Amino acid sequence: MRLKEEVALVTGGGSGIGYAVVARFIAEGAHVGVLVKEEQDAHTLKQAFGDKVEVVVGDVRNYADNTKAVDATVARFGKLDCFVGNAGIWDFMAGLESQEVRLLESNYRELFDVNVKGYVLGAKASLAALRKSKGCMIFTASTSSFFTGGGGPLYIATKHAVLGFIRALAWELAPDIRVNGVAPGGTLTRIFGSQTAEDVSSMIAAITPLGFAAKPEDHAGIYALLASRTDGKFITGTVILNDGGISIGKRDKGIDI
Ligand code: NAD
């Protein structure tokens, strides 16, 4: 029970890594607000976690929706201790050369608005409540915050931006608010769109030194560590890689995702 009596807010918590973080935080004793885009995800969360969650449907690209999620969480559970920025989209490895300019511009807008602006607005919206609780922020970064090979240039640029944001914000908000990140490697979630779980799983397993694709719950304990006021209290400005070893080298250079 690392997070007993703590209150968190997770964006994109209706599926994948975000959902696993919600589940783990609740198992560790927390109450959790969740900002989701899809009504169906809101329904699933309420069914699974009942009165332990407060779910708001909205879009991380809108400041008003981020504020609504913070306000609803604080109104329901009395405070906010941890903001988890996690909602994100992928670019399906689209190269610069293959995208005609108008498509490139709209992909740029969408990827940067969701993956970067969404985190910036969520941080801004949760700041006052976190100052009050001397809480923390955690952002889902990626191996793509450090290396190429896990996305096209636009996705990789957004995740490099997330790394800079975490480090700069940790410096700005110390000593009151800790700011950290988790950098997952290839993980079986719906971010890969219509590609089948088997295909994604075998592609990731083939290139990952540990030989398997992560499941969302394989990352959740790291978020709990960073959110913990005891175990995480000296950690800020850090991004923890949880990537099956891919940062030390791909296992099979012949296969790429
Ligand atoms: P996912 O698709 O299951 O989760 C992403 C969530 O974000 C979804 O619930 C989606 O509805 C939500 N979302 C998307 N756009 C939104 C918007 N505009 N407003 C509100 N919510 C929105 O995929 P995931 O893999 O769990 O992704 C979570 C995070 O993990 C992302 O930031 C992603 O970049 C990162 N990540 C994933 C992997 C991987 O291999 N799956 C690897 C590294 C990093």
Short mmCIF file of all heavy atoms in Angstrom, two decimals, residues 47-91:
data_model
loop_
_atom_site.label_atom_id
_atom_site.label_comp_id
_atom_site.label_asym_id
_atom_site.label_seq_id
_atom_site.Cartn_x
_atom_site.Cartn_y
_atom_site.Cartn_z
N GLN A 47 -17.13 0.53 -14.33
CA GLN A 47 -17.50 -0.87 -14.05
C GLN A 47 -16.42 -1.56 -13.22
O GLN A 47 -16.70 -2.32 -12.32
CB GLN A 47 -17.64 -1.65 -15.37
CG GLN A 47 -18.81 -1.27 -16.20
CD GLN A 47 -20.07 -1.96 -15.70
OE1 GLN A 47 -20.88 -1.31 -15.05
NE2 GLN A 47 -20.22 -3.24 -15.97
N ALA A 48 -15.15 -1.30 -13.60
CA ALA A 48 -14.03 -2.01 -12.96
C ALA A 48 -13.72 -1.47 -11.56
O ALA A 48 -13.37 -2.24 -10.67
CB ALA A 48 -12.79 -1.93 -13.85
N PHE A 49 -13.81 -0.15 -11.37
CA PHE A 49 -13.27 0.44 -10.13
C PHE A 49 -14.29 1.19 -9.28
O PHE A 49 -13.94 1.70 -8.21
CB PHE A 49 -12.08 1.35 -10.46
CG PHE A 49 -10.99 0.66 -11.22
CD1 PHE A 49 -10.69 1.00 -12.54
CD2 PHE A 49 -10.26 -0.38 -10.64
CE1 PHE A 49 -9.69 0.35 -13.25
CE2 PHE A 49 -9.26 -1.04 -11.34
CZ PHE A 49 -8.97 -0.67 -12.65
N GLY A 50 -15.53 1.31 -9.74
CA GLY A 50 -16.61 1.90 -8.94
C GLY A 50 -16.26 3.25 -8.35
O GLY A 50 -15.79 4.15 -9.06
N ASP A 51 -16.45 3.39 -7.03
CA ASP A 51 -16.26 4.71 -6.42
C ASP A 51 -14.80 5.06 -6.14
O ASP A 51 -14.50 6.11 -5.57
CB ASP A 51 -17.10 4.85 -5.15
CG ASP A 51 -16.71 3.82 -4.10
OD1 ASP A 51 -15.73 3.08 -4.32
OD2 ASP A 51 -17.38 3.77 -3.05
N LYS A 52 -13.88 4.21 -6.56
CA LYS A 52 -12.44 4.53 -6.42
C LYS A 52 -11.96 5.47 -7.53
O LYS A 52 -10.87 6.00 -7.47
CB LYS A 52 -11.59 3.25 -6.47
CG LYS A 52 -11.91 2.25 -5.36
CD LYS A 52 -11.16 2.62 -4.12
CE LYS A 52 -11.02 1.53 -3.09
NZ LYS A 52 -12.20 0.82 -2.70
N VAL A 53 -12.80 5.60 -8.61
CA VAL A 53 -12.40 6.48 -9.72
C VAL A 53 -13.41 7.60 -9.95
O VAL A 53 -14.60 7.44 -9.67
CB VAL A 53 -12.23 5.72 -11.06
CG1 VAL A 53 -11.00 4.86 -11.08
CG2 VAL A 53 -13.49 4.95 -11.43
N GLU A 54 -12.91 8.70 -10.45
CA GLU A 54 -13.76 9.80 -10.94
C GLU A 54 -13.36 9.99 -12.40
O GLU A 54 -12.20 10.30 -12.69
CB GLU A 54 -13.47 11.07 -10.13
CG GLU A 54 -14.17 12.31 -10.61
CD GLU A 54 -15.69 12.25 -10.42
OE1 GLU A 54 -16.16 11.50 -9.55
OE2 GLU A 54 -16.40 12.96 -11.16
N VAL A 55 -14.28 9.75 -13.30
CA VAL A 55 -13.91 9.76 -14.72
C VAL A 55 -14.49 10.99 -15.42
O VAL A 55 -15.67 11.30 -15.27
CB VAL A 55 -14.41 8.48 -15.43
CG1 VAL A 55 -13.87 8.43 -16.85
CG2 VAL A 55 -13.99 7.23 -14.66
N VAL A 56 -13.64 11.66 -16.17
CA VAL A 56 -14.07 12.81 -16.97
C VAL A 56 -13.77 12.50 -18.43
O VAL A 56 -12.67 12.04 -18.76
CB VAL A 56 -13.32 14.09 -16.53
CG1 VAL A 56 -13.57 15.24 -17.50
CG2 VAL A 56 -13.72 14.48 -15.11
N VAL A 57 -14.74 12.72 -19.29
CA VAL A 57 -14.53 12.53 -20.73
C VAL A 57 -14.10 13.87 -21.33
O VAL A 57 -14.76 14.89 -21.12
CB VAL A 57 -15.79 12.00 -21.42
CG1 VAL A 57 -15.57 11.85 -22.92
CG2 VAL A 57 -16.22 10.67 -20.81
N GLY A 58 -12.99 13.88 -22.04
CA GLY A 58 -12.51 15.12 -22.64
C GLY A 58 -11.29 14.88 -23.50
O GLY A 58 -10.91 13.74 -23.76
N ASP A 59 -10.70 15.98 -23.92
CA ASP A 59 -9.57 15.92 -24.85
C ASP A 59 -8.38 16.64 -24.22
O ASP A 59 -8.52 17.82 -23.84
CB ASP A 59 -9.99 16.60 -26.17
CG ASP A 59 -8.99 16.36 -27.29
OD1 ASP A 59 -7.78 16.45 -27.04
OD2 ASP A 59 -9.43 16.09 -28.42
N VAL A 60 -7.24 15.96 -24.12
CA VAL A 60 -6.07 16.58 -23.46
C VAL A 60 -5.57 17.82 -24.19
O VAL A 60 -4.82 18.60 -23.64
CB VAL A 60 -4.90 15.58 -23.29
CG1 VAL A 60 -5.24 14.48 -22.31
CG2 VAL A 60 -4.42 15.02 -24.62
N ARG A 61 -6.02 18.00 -25.44
CA ARG A 61 -5.58 19.18 -26.20
C ARG A 61 -6.29 20.45 -25.75
O ARG A 61 -5.89 21.54 -26.13
CB ARG A 61 -5.81 18.95 -27.70
CG ARG A 61 -4.91 17.87 -28.26
CD ARG A 61 -5.26 17.50 -29.67
NE ARG A 61 -6.50 16.76 -29.75
CZ ARG A 61 -6.98 16.20 -30.85
NH1 ARG A 61 -6.31 16.30 -31.98
NH2 ARG A 61 -8.12 15.53 -30.83
N ASN A 62 -7.37 20.30 -24.95
CA ASN A 62 -8.11 21.48 -24.47
C ASN A 62 -7.77 21.76 -23.01
O ASN A 62 -7.93 20.89 -22.16
CB ASN A 62 -9.63 21.23 -24.56
CG ASN A 62 -10.06 21.02 -25.99
OD1 ASN A 62 -9.42 21.53 -26.91
ND2 ASN A 62 -11.12 20.26 -26.18
N TYR A 63 -7.41 23.00 -22.73
CA TYR A 63 -7.10 23.37 -21.34
C TYR A 63 -8.33 23.19 -20.45
O TYR A 63 -8.24 22.69 -19.32
CB TYR A 63 -6.58 24.81 -21.27
CG TYR A 63 -6.16 25.20 -19.88
CD1 TYR A 63 -5.11 24.53 -19.24
CD2 TYR A 63 -6.81 26.22 -19.19
CE1 TYR A 63 -4.73 24.88 -17.95
CE2 TYR A 63 -6.43 26.56 -17.90
CZ TYR A 63 -5.39 25.89 -17.28
OH TYR A 63 -5.02 26.23 -16.00
N ALA A 64 -9.50 23.57 -20.99
CA ALA A 64 -10.73 23.48 -20.19
C ALA A 64 -11.01 22.03 -19.76
O ALA A 64 -11.48 21.80 -18.64
CB ALA A 64 -11.91 24.02 -20.99
N ASP A 65 -10.71 21.07 -20.62
CA ASP A 65 -10.95 19.67 -20.25
C ASP A 65 -9.96 19.20 -19.18
O ASP A 65 -10.32 18.43 -18.28
CB ASP A 65 -10.86 18.77 -21.49
CG ASP A 65 -12.04 18.97 -22.43
OD1 ASP A 65 -12.98 19.70 -22.06
OD2 ASP A 65 -12.01 18.42 -23.54
N ASN A 66 -8.72 19.66 -19.27
CA ASN A 66 -7.74 19.33 -18.23
C ASN A 66 -8.17 19.92 -16.88
O ASN A 66 -8.09 19.26 -15.84
CB ASN A 66 -6.36 19.86 -18.62
CG ASN A 66 -5.68 19.00 -19.66
OD1 ASN A 66 -5.14 17.95 -19.34
ND2 ASN A 66 -5.72 19.41 -20.92
N THR A 67 -8.62 21.17 -16.91
CA THR A 67 -9.07 21.83 -15.68
C THR A 67 -10.28 21.10 -15.09
O THR A 67 -10.37 20.90 -13.88
CB THR A 67 -9.46 23.30 -15.99
OG1 THR A 67 -8.35 23.91 -16.61
CG2 THR A 67 -9.81 24.06 -14.74
N LYS A 68 -11.18 20.71 -15.99
CA LYS A 68 -12.38 19.99 -15.54
C LYS A 68 -11.99 18.69 -14.82
O LYS A 68 -12.56 18.34 -13.79
CB LYS A 68 -13.23 19.67 -16.78
CG LYS A 68 -14.64 19.24 -16.48
CD LYS A 68 -15.42 19.19 -17.79
CE LYS A 68 -16.52 18.15 -17.72
NZ LYS A 68 -17.02 17.75 -19.02
N ALA A 69 -11.00 17.99 -15.37
CA ALA A 69 -10.55 16.73 -14.76
C ALA A 69 -9.91 16.98 -13.40
O ALA A 69 -10.16 16.23 -12.44
CB ALA A 69 -9.57 16.02 -15.69
N VAL A 70 -9.10 18.03 -13.30
CA VAL A 70 -8.48 18.35 -12.00
C VAL A 70 -9.56 18.73 -10.99
O VAL A 70 -9.60 18.21 -9.86
CB VAL A 70 -7.46 19.51 -12.15
CG1 VAL A 70 -6.98 19.99 -10.78
CG2 VAL A 70 -6.28 19.08 -13.00
N ASP A 71 -10.46 19.62 -11.41
CA ASP A 71 -11.51 20.09 -10.49
C ASP A 71 -12.40 18.94 -10.02
O ASP A 71 -12.76 18.85 -8.85
CB ASP A 71 -12.37 21.18 -11.16
CG ASP A 71 -11.58 22.47 -11.36
OD1 ASP A 71 -10.47 22.59 -10.80
OD2 ASP A 71 -12.07 23.35 -12.10
N ALA A 72 -12.76 18.06 -10.95
CA ALA A 72 -13.64 16.94 -10.60
C ALA A 72 -12.93 15.99 -9.62
O ALA A 72 -13.54 15.48 -8.67
CB ALA A 72 -14.05 16.17 -11.85
N THR A 73 -11.63 15.79 -9.82
CA THR A 73 -10.87 14.90 -8.93
C THR A 73 -10.78 15.50 -7.53
O THR A 73 -11.00 14.81 -6.52
CB THR A 73 -9.45 14.67 -9.50
OG1 THR A 73 -9.57 14.17 -10.83
CG2 THR A 73 -8.65 13.69 -8.67
N VAL A 74 -10.46 16.81 -7.48
CA VAL A 74 -10.33 17.47 -6.17
C VAL A 74 -11.69 17.54 -5.48
O VAL A 74 -11.80 17.30 -4.27
CB VAL A 74 -9.70 18.88 -6.33
CG1 VAL A 74 -9.73 19.64 -5.02
CG2 VAL A 74 -8.27 18.77 -6.86
N ALA A 75 -12.74 17.84 -6.25
CA ALA A 75 -14.08 17.93 -5.65
C ALA A 75 -14.49 16.57 -5.06
O ALA A 75 -15.08 16.49 -3.98
CB ALA A 75 -15.09 18.37 -6.69
N ARG A 76 -14.15 15.51 -5.75
CA ARG A 76 -14.58 14.18 -5.31
C ARG A 76 -13.72 13.61 -4.18
O ARG A 76 -14.22 13.03 -3.22
CB ARG A 76 -14.54 13.25 -6.53
CG ARG A 76 -14.83 11.83 -6.28
CD ARG A 76 -16.35 11.57 -6.18
NE ARG A 76 -16.57 10.17 -5.87
CZ ARG A 76 -16.51 9.21 -6.79
NH1 ARG A 76 -16.30 9.49 -8.04
NH2 ARG A 76 -16.70 7.95 -6.43
N PHE A 77 -12.38 13.81 -4.29
CA PHE A 77 -11.50 13.14 -3.33
C PHE A 77 -10.75 14.12 -2.40
O PHE A 77 -9.92 13.70 -1.60
CB PHE A 77 -10.48 12.27 -4.08
CG PHE A 77 -11.12 11.19 -4.94
CD1 PHE A 77 -10.82 11.09 -6.29
CD2 PHE A 77 -12.02 10.29 -4.39
CE1 PHE A 77 -11.40 10.10 -7.09
CE2 PHE A 77 -12.61 9.30 -5.18
CZ PHE A 77 -12.30 9.21 -6.53
N GLY A 78 -10.98 15.42 -2.57
CA GLY A 78 -10.49 16.40 -1.59
C GLY A 78 -9.12 17.02 -1.86
O GLY A 78 -8.75 18.00 -1.21
N LYS A 79 -8.36 16.47 -2.78
CA LYS A 79 -7.00 17.00 -3.05
C LYS A 79 -6.45 16.31 -4.29
O LYS A 79 -7.08 15.42 -4.86
CB LYS A 79 -6.08 16.72 -1.86
CG LYS A 79 -5.97 15.22 -1.56
CD LYS A 79 -4.93 14.91 -0.50
CE LYS A 79 -4.85 13.41 -0.27
NZ LYS A 79 -3.67 12.95 0.39
N LEU A 80 -5.24 16.72 -4.69
CA LEU A 80 -4.53 16.01 -5.77
C LEU A 80 -3.06 15.87 -5.37
O LEU A 80 -2.41 16.87 -5.05
CB LEU A 80 -4.64 16.78 -7.10
CG LEU A 80 -3.94 16.12 -8.29
CD1 LEU A 80 -4.63 14.81 -8.67
CD2 LEU A 80 -3.93 17.06 -9.50
N ASP A 81 -2.55 14.64 -5.35
CA ASP A 81 -1.15 14.40 -4.98
C ASP A 81 -0.26 14.11 -6.17
O ASP A 81 0.95 14.31 -6.11
CB ASP A 81 -1.06 13.20 -4.02
CG ASP A 81 -1.82 13.44 -2.73
OD1 ASP A 81 -1.40 14.32 -1.97
OD2 ASP A 81 -2.84 12.76 -2.51
N CYS A 82 -0.84 13.57 -7.25
CA CYS A 82 0.00 13.13 -8.37
C CYS A 82 -0.74 13.29 -9.69
O CYS A 82 -1.85 12.77 -9.84
CB CYS A 82 0.39 11.66 -8.16
SG CYS A 82 1.40 11.01 -9.49
N PHE A 83 -0.13 14.01 -10.62
CA PHE A 83 -0.69 14.11 -11.97
C PHE A 83 0.12 13.21 -12.89
O PHE A 83 1.35 13.33 -12.96
CB PHE A 83 -0.64 15.55 -12.49
CG PHE A 83 -1.01 15.65 -13.94
CD1 PHE A 83 -2.32 15.48 -14.35
CD2 PHE A 83 -0.04 15.85 -14.91
CE1 PHE A 83 -2.67 15.52 -15.70
CE2 PHE A 83 -0.38 15.90 -16.26
CZ PHE A 83 -1.71 15.74 -16.65
N VAL A 84 -0.55 12.30 -13.58
CA VAL A 84 0.12 11.42 -14.54
C VAL A 84 -0.33 11.80 -15.96
O VAL A 84 -1.46 11.55 -16.36
CB VAL A 84 -0.20 9.93 -14.28
CG1 VAL A 84 0.53 9.04 -15.31
CG2 VAL A 84 0.20 9.53 -12.87
N GLY A 85 0.56 12.44 -16.72
CA GLY A 85 0.31 12.74 -18.12
C GLY A 85 0.71 11.53 -18.94
O GLY A 85 1.88 11.11 -18.91
N ASN A 86 -0.25 10.95 -19.64
CA ASN A 86 0.03 9.67 -20.31
C ASN A 86 -0.61 9.55 -21.69
O ASN A 86 -0.07 8.84 -22.55
CB ASN A 86 -0.46 8.53 -19.39
CG ASN A 86 -0.55 7.21 -20.09
OD1 ASN A 86 0.45 6.54 -20.29
ND2 ASN A 86 -1.75 6.81 -20.50
N ALA A 87 -1.72 10.25 -21.93
CA ALA A 87 -2.41 10.11 -23.22
C ALA A 87 -1.43 10.42 -24.36
O ALA A 87 -0.70 11.40 -24.31
CB ALA A 87 -3.60 11.05 -23.28
N GLY A 88 -1.43 9.56 -25.35
CA GLY A 88 -0.52 9.78 -26.47
C GLY A 88 -0.95 9.01 -27.69
O GLY A 88 -1.77 8.09 -27.63
N ILE A 89 -0.41 9.41 -28.83
CA ILE A 89 -0.67 8.71 -30.10
C ILE A 89 0.66 8.44 -30.79
O ILE A 89 1.68 9.09 -30.50
CB ILE A 89 -1.61 9.53 -31.02
CG1 ILE A 89 -1.07 10.95 -31.23
CG2 ILE A 89 -3.02 9.56 -30.45
CD1 ILE A 89 -1.89 11.75 -32.26
N TRP A 90 0.62 7.50 -31.72
CA TRP A 90 1.83 7.08 -32.43
C TRP A 90 1.73 7.51 -33.89
O TRP A 90 0.63 7.83 -34.38
CB TRP A 90 1.95 5.55 -32.34
CG TRP A 90 3.28 4.96 -32.68
CD1 TRP A 90 4.51 5.38 -32.25
CD2 TRP A 90 3.50 3.80 -33.51
NE1 TRP A 90 5.49 4.55 -32.76
CE2 TRP A 90 4.90 3.59 -33.53
CE3 TRP A 90 2.68 2.94 -34.22
CZ2 TRP A 90 5.48 2.54 -34.25
CZ3 TRP A 90 3.26 1.89 -34.92
CH2 TRP A 90 4.65 1.70 -34.94
N ASP A 91 2.85 7.48 -34.61
CA ASP A 91 2.82 7.91 -36.02
C ASP A 91 2.99 6.76 -37.01
O ASP A 91 3.17 6.99 -38.21
CB ASP A 91 3.89 8.99 -36.28
CG ASP A 91 5.31 8.44 -36.18
OD1 ASP A 91 5.49 7.25 -35.82
OD2 ASP A 91 6.25 9.21 -36.45
#
